[in-house]
Amino acid sequence: MDSDGPSHHGVIIRPATVTDCQGIHRLIQELAAFQGYPDGPELTVETLRRDGFPVEGDNSDRQTSTDRQTSTAQVFQANVVEETATGKLVGYAIFFPFYSTWKGKGIYLEDIYVQSDYRRAGVGKRLFASVCRFALEWGGSAVRLSVLKKNVQAKAFYERLGFENSTVEDGWETGRFGEETLRKIVESVVV
């Protein structure tokens, strides 16, 4: 099921499944190389499986928040961009909850990546909107992310969508998309 309506530009955006871990791992490596860090990610396919798709029956609902730090509870969510003709993954977004003592629940977008052949066709915006939709449906008040200062294209993309730059540290810019902006983004791509 396409979380973003019917197929556009030959791709669908959908929640990731455990069988997507190999493809997500490949795309994580591509993103790292694109950012100039080809040897950066130490993450394995097995780590993605463990953290994103834990085995059921782990009793995490009976554990305290301290116990859950070492449990098999799901650590992140992921959406993927799948090429409809081949089934090949051409993009992904990995995100997880955060908690603000000022606003409550929110989503932190760890990574969002779309292969270059699929950029500038609205695919990245649709993928980002799928994360915004998740945040809003979950009751979140914001989506936070970091972007490399040198990634001018990504910064321009986020700024066009209403990104608010709130912190600059060590070459990373951190900001948020407030609830109203999330709604505007989601509404702008609904078919």
Side-chain angles (χ1 to χ4, degrees):
M1 177 181 145
D2 188 347
S3 65
D4 192 27
S7 174
H8 297 283
H9 305 289
V11 299
I12 60 169
I13 296 170
R14 61 171 177 77
T17 65
V18 69
T19 59
D20 294 320
C21 288
Q22 186 72 40
I24 293 170
H25 187 264
R26 173 182 49 81
L27 292 167
I28 289 170
Q29 295 295 329
E30 284 182 26
L31 173 59
F34 174 77
Q35 292 175 328
Y37 304 103
D39 299 323
E42 297 176 10
L43 189 71
T44 66
V45 173
E46 188 50 44
T47 302
L48 281 171
R49 285 186 185 119
R50 180 198 68 213
D51 294 346
F53 309 93
V55 177
E56 290 187 32
D58 65 5
N59 296 321
S60 62
D61 59 329
R62 293 187 207 122
Q63 297 172 337
T64 67
S65 59
T66 305
D67 293 336
R68 288 184 188 196
Q69 293 174 9
T70 58
S71 77
T72 56
Q74 186 175 20
V75 176
F76 68 87
Q77 302 281 331
N79 288 346
V80 293
V81 181
E82 180 181 330
E83 188 179 62
T84 53
T86 64
K88 177 183 170 191
L89 299 187
V90 298
Y92 76 98
I94 290 182
F95 50 97
F96 52 87
F98 74 83
Y99 195 80
S100 165
T101 57
W102 287 39
K103 292 279 197 172
K105 298 188 297 185
I107 291 295
Y108 187 86
L109 178 60
E110 177 65 22
D111 279 354
I112 185 168
Y113 176 72
V114 174
Q115 289 180 326
S116 59
D117 290 348
Y118 295 87
R119 294 183 196 150
R120 305 214 184 279
V123 176
K125 184 176 182 180
R126 288 175 52 214
L127 180 57
F128 184 71
S130 74
V131 175
C132 295
R133 181 177 295 110
F134 179 92
L136 290 168
E137 289 174 356
W138 181 64
S141 63
V143 170
R144 290 183 183 169
L145 59 89
S146 297
V147 59
L148 276 174
K149 193 174 208 172
K150 66 183 180 181
N151 193 342
V152 179
Q153 289 178 328
K155 287 174 54 176
F157 171 77
Y158 296 133
E159 288 168 2
R160 281 192 306 272
L161 294 174
F163 179 72
E164 299 170 17
N165 185 355
S166 59
T167 308
V168 178
E169 294 179 17
D170 300 325
W172 287 93
E173 296 182 7
T174 304
R176 67 180 181 87
F177 293 87
E179 185 173 345
E180 187 58 37
T181 304
L182 297 178
R183 291 187 192 289
K184 287 179 184 176
I185 293 167
V186 170
E187 291 169 4
S188 72
V189 297
V190 173
V191 183

